[in-house]
Structure formats: C-alpha cells, structure tokens
Amino acid sequence: MTTSPEPQAVAERELCGLVNGLAQQIADHVRERAVTLGLTSAQATALREMTGPMTMGELAERMSCEPSNATFVVDKLEKQGLIERRAHPTDRRAKQLVLTAEGSTLRERLLELLVRESPLAGLTTQQQRVLQDLLEQAITHR
C-alpha cells in the first residue's frame, strides 16, 4: 500500500502561495517607493542591485531578467544621469556600469525608503537570515 502524496502536495501548495504572496508584497513595496522618486520598479531594482561597478550581464542576473531588458532600463537611467557606462578595466570587449554621484545619492534615498515598512520588517535580522538560508536551500536543491 502506497502513501498518498496529497498531504505533501497540500503543504507545498500552501508554501508556494505564501512565497508568491511575499514576492507580490515586496514587488508592490518597491513599486510604491520607486514612484515617490520618479522611477519605475525596474529602475529602482537596478539601482538597488548596483552595489558597485558591474557588467550588464551581472546586473541582469541580479535583476533576474534578460540582458536586453536590463539594457533598456540602464539606457533610461543613463539618460537621467544616474549610471555611466565605462570601459571595463580588464576586458576590452565589456563595458562596466557605474553609478554617478547623483545615482549614488538617489540609491541611498531608495534604500532608506525600501527598508522603511518593508514586508520583511516584522522579522528579526536572525529570522531574515534563516528565511534566506531556507530559500537558498530550496532554490539550489534542484
């Protein structure tokens, strides 16, 4: 006699619903904060992920999008004077994305807004680390 997969399927469905709900809350939070700074959600995500000089491919990976989508976003940020494309120091074929002084200032304001009333604010730093570890394990388990 085999055990029914139903209980595990129900638990997985409920967990997926919670993860999707949290992702939607985070996306809404980013979008609301971005608008106050005159940015789109994608532009805010790009600025949030610009922790230092990086290539377009690196930024696209951090944004979880295709490089062509990241290029579109970076083009807009470049026109706003927030990001510059510079020669890569070690790869002549690549360009490196770098925040301008104005971009760095705006990024700091964005980060301040994002941590304020964040959907994750109800968790302690330790709980956030545990959640991060669990999600990383689930993602890399495949």
Side-chain angles (χ1 to χ4, degrees):
M1 179 176 250
T2 61
T3 306
S4 169
E6 184 68 23
Q8 182 62 33
V10 168
E12 191 166 313
R13 179 183 56 78
E14 290 173 354
L15 182 56
C16 287
L18 291 170
V19 170
N20 286 335
L22 178 58
Q24 187 60 56
Q25 285 183 11
I26 291 170
D28 291 345
H29 180 72
V30 170
R31 186 175 21 265
E32 290 165 4
R33 296 329 183 255
V35 167
T36 66
L37 298 175
L39 299 169
T40 66
S41 182
Q43 290 171 327
T45 300
L47 287 177
R48 180 189 65 204
E49 297 303 325
M50 286 289 301
T51 57
M54 63 184 65
T55 65
M56 189 70 71
E58 291 167 333
L59 180 59
E61 185 175 322
R62 286 180 173 212
M63 292 176 66
S64 300
C65 70
E66 294 296 319
S68 60
N69 292 349
T71 299
F72 179 78
V73 173
V74 167
D75 287 347
K76 299 289 185 188
L77 292 171
E78 189 175 36
K79 285 178 185 168
Q80 291 175 286
L82 302 173
I83 288 182
E84 292 178 348
R85 288 178 169 98
R86 295 184 184 164
H88 194 283
T90 60
D91 185 350
R92 293 183 334 178
R93 299 165 296 160
K95 293 285 185 188
Q96 201 170 49
L97 305 173
V98 179
L99 289 173
T100 63
E102 186 180 346
S104 292
T105 300
L106 186 60
R107 181 178 184 274
E108 284 301 313
R109 287 182 52 213
L110 173 66
L111 294 178
E112 289 170 5
L113 289 174
L114 290 177
V115 297
R116 211 176 297 150
E117 300 175 20
S118 163
L120 298 173
L123 301 176
T124 66
T125 302
Q126 178 61 29
Q127 289 171 324
Q128 288 181 26
R129 278 193 213 111
V130 168
L131 178 59
Q132 181 177 351
D133 290 345
L134 292 170
L135 291 172
E136 286 174 352
Q137 286 176 28
I139 289 168
T140 59
H141 176 68
R142 304 184 104 216

